[in-house]
Amino acid sequence: MAYENIQQDMKAIVGQWVTTDYLREGELFVIGCSTSEVAGHPIGTSGNEQIAEVIFNGLQELQEKSGVHLAFQCCEHLNRALVIERETAATYMLDEVSVIPVPKAGGSMASYAFKKMTDPVVVENIRARAHAGMDIGETMIGMHLKHVAVPLRFEQKNIGNARLAAARTRPKLIGGSRANYEDTRLNDTCN
């Protein structure tokens, strides 16, 4: 897999995210990523920090353009804990845990993010508070998303060889048949 192709895929998906109104400054954006799947190998078999670097750089661009806080999901060996900036942990009142992700326990993406973030910490979970996210290679990020998750259908369907799934969340509908949802973020999902 050529790194230039992965870079182009990331540029495409970042461009598609920023042209929507799905992301707001200060929101949590969770990323699950199997660099093995991106390279065309089964999940957990061929982690690659060079691929992680390309993906991380694309996600930094998304962060710069949208103002979201990035949360990188670790692999199952760390129980899907997340790498975030210390400032984000403080903002969302999340408790730090004592672990440093490495490629074989945490995954190449989380390991790379931990090395490159300004002041990274690992938190056990984000208590289903993520506002949106991307799952690159079917790593199962749903547990981190707020209720109600809305799947997104972007033109970009893969990053490298890995399938891409994306979602945003919306507030729960309350109020029954007399409720009015006009002029809310729900317009595209209520009709």
Side-chain angles (χ1 to χ4, degrees):
M1 169 67 26
Y3 299 117
E4 296 80 26
N5 293 345
I6 299 167
Q7 189 174 30
Q8 289 173 348
D9 291 346
M10 286 303 299
K11 187 174 182 69
I13 193 62
V14 166
Q16 289 169 43
W17 272 107
V18 299
T19 61
T20 71
D21 65 349
Y22 300 151
L23 303 177
R24 291 199 167 95
E25 187 171 343
E27 292 184 336
L28 280 171
F29 187 93
V30 66
I31 302 97
C33 178
S34 168
T35 59
S36 298
E37 290 278 338
V38 173
H41 305 287
I43 194 168
T45 62
S46 303
N48 183 316
E49 285 198 338
Q50 293 170 310
I51 290 173
E53 177 182 12
V54 173
I55 293 169
F56 183 84
N57 291 340
L59 291 166
Q60 277 194 309
E61 181 181 342
L62 177 66
Q63 182 178 38
E64 290 166 8
K65 291 182 175 181
S66 67
V68 296
H69 297 281
L70 300 177
F72 292 89
Q73 176 183 269
C74 296
C75 74
E76 65 182 289
H77 297 101
L78 294 185
N79 298 326
R80 309 266 187 248
L82 299 115
V83 177
I84 61 176
E85 292 285 1
R86 185 176 306 278
E87 179 182 326
T88 303
T91 298
Y92 282 90
M93 295 182 283
L94 302 170
D95 295 325
E96 178 182 356
V97 295
S98 295
V99 70
I100 296 174
V102 295
K104 295 290 184 192
S108 294
M109 187 74 249
S111 175
Y112 187 84
F114 192 88
K115 292 176 198 172
K116 295 300 178 178
M117 291 175 115
T118 303
D119 190 11
V121 297
V122 176
V123 297
E124 190 170 12
N125 63 64
I126 55 177
R127 302 182 193 116
R129 289 203 217 161
H131 300 88
M134 285 194 312
D135 190 325
I136 303 168
E138 300 176 9
T139 63
M140 305 298 176
I141 65 165
M143 68 190 85
H144 305 299
L145 296 172
K146 293 172 71 170
H147 298 143
V148 173
V150 178
L152 300 174
R153 305 286 187 252
F154 287 119
E155 289 180 32
Q156 186 66 35
K157 306 226 182 287
N158 292 70
I159 302 296
N161 292 302
R163 285 191 277 198
L164 173 69
R168 67 175 179 92
T169 60
R170 64 156 176 80
K172 294 178 183 181
L173 302 176
I174 63 168
S177 62
R178 294 192 295 179
N180 181 344
Y181 304 115
E182 292 178 21
D183 299 323
T184 70
R185 291 178 80 177
L186 305 176
N187 286 337
D188 61 332
T189 60
C190 291
N191 299 326

